[in-house]
Amino acid sequence: MTLKKKIFFAVGPFAVAALFIVALLYSPLEFIKEPSEKKVHEAASSMSVNVLKGSEIKREAMESGKYLPFFGSSELSRVNPFHPSVLAKKYDRSYEPFLLGAPGTQSLTHFFMLNSVKKPLENKKVVFIISPQWFVKKGVSDPMYSLFYSPIETYEWLVDLDETDQTDQYIAGRLLEFESVKSDTQLKKMLLKVKNGEELSKADRRKAYYKYKRLKNEDLLFGQIGIVSKNKRIDKQATYLPNQYNFNELDALAYKIGQEKTNNNPFEISNGFYSNRIMPMKGKLKDSQKKFNYISSPEYADFEAFLELLAKNNIDAMFVIPPVNKLWSDYTGLSTEMLDDFSKKINYQLTSQGFNNIVDFTDKRGEKYFMEDTIHIGWRGWLEMDTQLQEFLKSDSKPDYKMNPELFFSKEWQTEQYK
């Protein structure tokens, strides 16, 4: 065998395979079917990273009109009998929650998730759970943002940009703070232009479109792999509930379950969480949160970008502000006065711009079994949220937004206390 033939047989198959993959990623891929109803149902409760970072399954879910988006973070993973997915399943609600969040997701990630499904959600309703713990000095950390950074949703946003406004400029500047974004030199150049208010050239738009198209095809090919649904857990939790909905009966049951599930510690924290997360380092946690401050944070501006997107698409949102377990905050020294100030500040940001559907549980910090652990909504908390949600969904009132980006993107608002 000649040397040329040896080289051909050695690298030929790999070259052909590479060409095939490249052709596949840039082809129309019309032969691939959209996600099935079963796959979308599995994805709705999965909180899988590939679902959150992808676009096809979320788009299919929102276009179906069967799903109610719940934007949030780690609290969505606490599946007990009163979790929104369980109550919707048990009592045959007209919607199924689609959980758009995971531990570590914050407003900037939510902005891109909402942007990718804004068209099917136009004039509809969503739920957004705000965690005070997001509002730390530097906002979302680089590792956490990178974990949920979605190139496909970022390029989709760029492809759709016509004239850049203040929100676009803010988002571009914010993205350029993260290593995972800056490592894409092509994207970095385009973001710098948007940040500076410059128009993208035709060449930029062409490059962005082809990158988006390739990422979209990757999502179609691989986005449905490895989804682990929570549906079995949801079905099991639903068996603990009575067949007929009765708030007082359910509240008594939530109290009883909460009491049973938190009986190994004085903080009314679920036994498993306490044993695994608190006990190993308990001594180090006393008075450890005395200096925590949720008043000064870039998260306020990230959150404003999400609000701007809601307003532009006339989407109505119910905002939920969870409390912090008072027994725990007394132990760690976390200031309840500071938490009250956080509540005032975020309420002003919402109500002054016309976002009036707010379920603020800040003053529920001392209610028994309202929380499941230190900061996550628990048995009685989910149930009370559910009653507010049903009223929100019934309401025919239309939002009337009066946005004020000059104030809420400003450094002053991000860093100063609201008085």
Side-chain angles (χ1 to χ4, degrees):
M1 186 180 290
T2 64
L3 180 60
K4 284 185 178 177
K5 283 187 177 178
K6 286 181 180 177
I7 293 173
F8 175 77
F9 283 114
V11 303
F14 296 104
V16 170
L19 284 172
F20 175 74
I21 290 172
V22 170
L24 192 63
L25 291 178
Y26 285 97
S27 70
L29 284 183
E30 291 173 349
F31 58 92
I32 294 184
K33 292 181 180 178
E34 293 177 336
S36 65
E37 283 189 29
K38 181 184 176 194
K39 187 58 69 177
V40 174
H41 175 54
E42 290 172 351
S45 64
S46 71
M47 302 169 71
S48 297
V49 173
N50 54 333
V51 173
L52 300 179
K53 294 172 65 166
S55 65
E56 286 306 303
I57 289 180
K58 295 199 294 267
R59 182 189 54 75
E60 185 71 18
M62 299 314 149
E63 285 183 349
S64 75
K66 298 177 182 175
Y67 293 88
L68 179 65
F70 277 66
F71 293 90
S73 52
S74 51
E75 67 284 328
L76 297 175
S77 63
R78 267 62 176 179
V79 180
N80 62 43
F82 305 92
H83 184 278
S85 298
V86 180
L87 291 174
K89 168 86 177 180
K90 182 69 179 183
Y91 298 112
D92 198 24
R93 298 273 168 74
S94 61
Y95 60 87
E96 178 178 345
F98 199 108
L99 308 180
L100 291 170
T105 52
Q106 297 183 201
S107 301
L108 198 55
T109 302
H110 296 136
F111 171 87
F112 285 100
M113 286 198 286
L114 177 62
N115 188 66
S116 71
V117 293
K118 62 187 178 187
K119 288 181 182 173
L121 287 180
E122 199 171 29
N123 301 313
K124 294 186 179 173
K125 298 191 177 189
V126 303
V127 178
F128 191 101
I129 303 174
I130 307 168
S131 290
Q133 296 74 30
W134 297 346
F135 293 77
V136 293
K137 187 175 182 180
K138 294 185 178 178
V140 62
S141 69
D142 199 310
M144 275 302 175
Y145 185 70
S146 295
L147 177 61
F148 295 101
Y149 164 57
S150 169
I152 185 174
E153 291 179 341
T154 305
Y155 274 98
E156 183 180 16
W157 168 69
L158 275 177
V159 167
D160 285 344
L161 278 185
D162 292 323
E163 294 180 1
T164 57
D165 61 15
Q166 191 171 359
T167 306
D168 301 322
Q169 288 180 262
Y170 173 80
I171 286 292
R174 192 77 170 102
L175 286 176
L176 287 167
E177 296 177 20
F178 298 97
E179 293 301 324
S180 54
V181 179
K182 288 190 289 187
S183 62
D184 182 338
T185 53
Q186 180 177 286
L187 177 62
K188 183 179 175 182
K189 287 178 184 174
M190 287 187 269
L191 290 175
L192 279 170
K193 286 186 177 180
V194 177
K195 179 187 175 186
N196 295 327
E198 299 172 29
E199 281 192 24
L200 296 178
S201 66
K202 288 184 179 178
D204 290 331
R205 292 184 180 280
R206 191 164 52 247
K207 287 176 187 173
Y209 173 75
Y210 281 112
K211 185 69 178 284
Y212 167 64
K213 186 176 178 60
R214 181 175 69 75
L215 292 167
K216 185 177 168 63
N217 283 353
E218 283 182 5
D219 187 38
L220 273 169
L221 284 167
F222 309 118
Q224 300 178 42
I225 298 173
I227 293 173
V228 180
S229 167
K230 293 183 177 64
N231 288 337
K232 285 187 178 177
R233 285 168 60 187
I234 291 167
D235 291 344
K236 182 180 178 183
Q237 295 299 320
T239 63
Y240 300 119
L241 298 174
N243 289 331
Q244 299 299 318
Y245 183 94
N246 178 294
F247 178 82
N248 291 333
E249 187 180 346
L250 286 169
D251 190 50
L253 179 61
Y255 191 102
K256 180 173 179 289
I257 292 175
Q259 192 173 37
E260 291 170 353
K261 296 288 185 183
T262 62
N263 59 9
N264 75 349
N265 64 86
F267 304 109
E268 295 175 5
I269 291 172
S270 65
N271 292 339
F273 188 91
Y274 183 76
S275 298
N276 297 321
R277 304 280 292 276
I278 304 292
M279 271 300 290
M281 56 188 300
K282 185 184 171 190
K284 297 178 182 176
L285 296 173
K286 183 167 176 56
D287 295 332
S288 63
Q289 299 179 346
K290 277 188 169 181
K291 295 182 179 177
F292 280 22
N293 185 342
Y294 303 145
I295 304 301
S296 178
S297 173
E299 184 69 26
Y300 286 99
D302 292 351
F303 182 57
E304 180 66 15
F306 185 87
L307 298 182
E308 290 277 338
L309 201 50
L310 289 176
K312 285 174 186 171
N313 294 281
N314 202 39
I315 299 169
D316 200 1
M318 184 179 95
F319 295 93
V320 182
I321 304 171
V324 174
N325 180 330
K326 186 174 186 303
L327 295 170
W328 183 246
S329 62
D330 286 348
Y331 181 76
T332 62
L334 184 69
S335 167
T336 52
E337 183 181 358
M338 181 275 293
L339 291 170
D340 289 341
D341 288 341
F342 164 80
S343 170
K344 290 175 190 170
K345 183 169 178 174
I346 204 72
N347 268 278
Y348 180 76
Q349 185 165 346
L350 288 166
T351 56
S352 67
Q353 298 184 101
F355 298 92
N356 297 317
N357 295 301
I358 305 169
V359 180
D360 188 350
F361 287 142
T362 301
D363 63 353
K364 301 282 187 181
R365 57 173 67 105
E367 285 205 14
K368 297 183 83 63
Y369 317 119
F370 197 88
M371 307 296 288
E372 183 168 312
D373 48 55
T374 55
I375 57 173
H376 298 114
I377 298 173
W379 307 273
R380 298 181 71 211
W382 282 132
L383 182 63
E384 186 157 336
M385 192 196 87
D386 180 68
T387 62
Q388 304 272 358
L389 174 61
Q390 300 317 307
E391 293 301 314
F392 169 67
L393 295 177
K394 281 182 203 168
S395 171
D396 293 328
S397 63
K398 303 296 180 189
D400 181 18
Y401 299 126
K402 298 177 178 63
M403 304 309 294
N404 188 356
E406 285 74 20
L407 171 61
F408 295 115
F409 280 128
S410 70
K411 286 293 179 189
E412 288 73 20
W413 180 255
Q414 293 176 47
T415 54
E416 292 182 1
Q417 186 158 337
Y418 168 69
K419 295 178 181 176

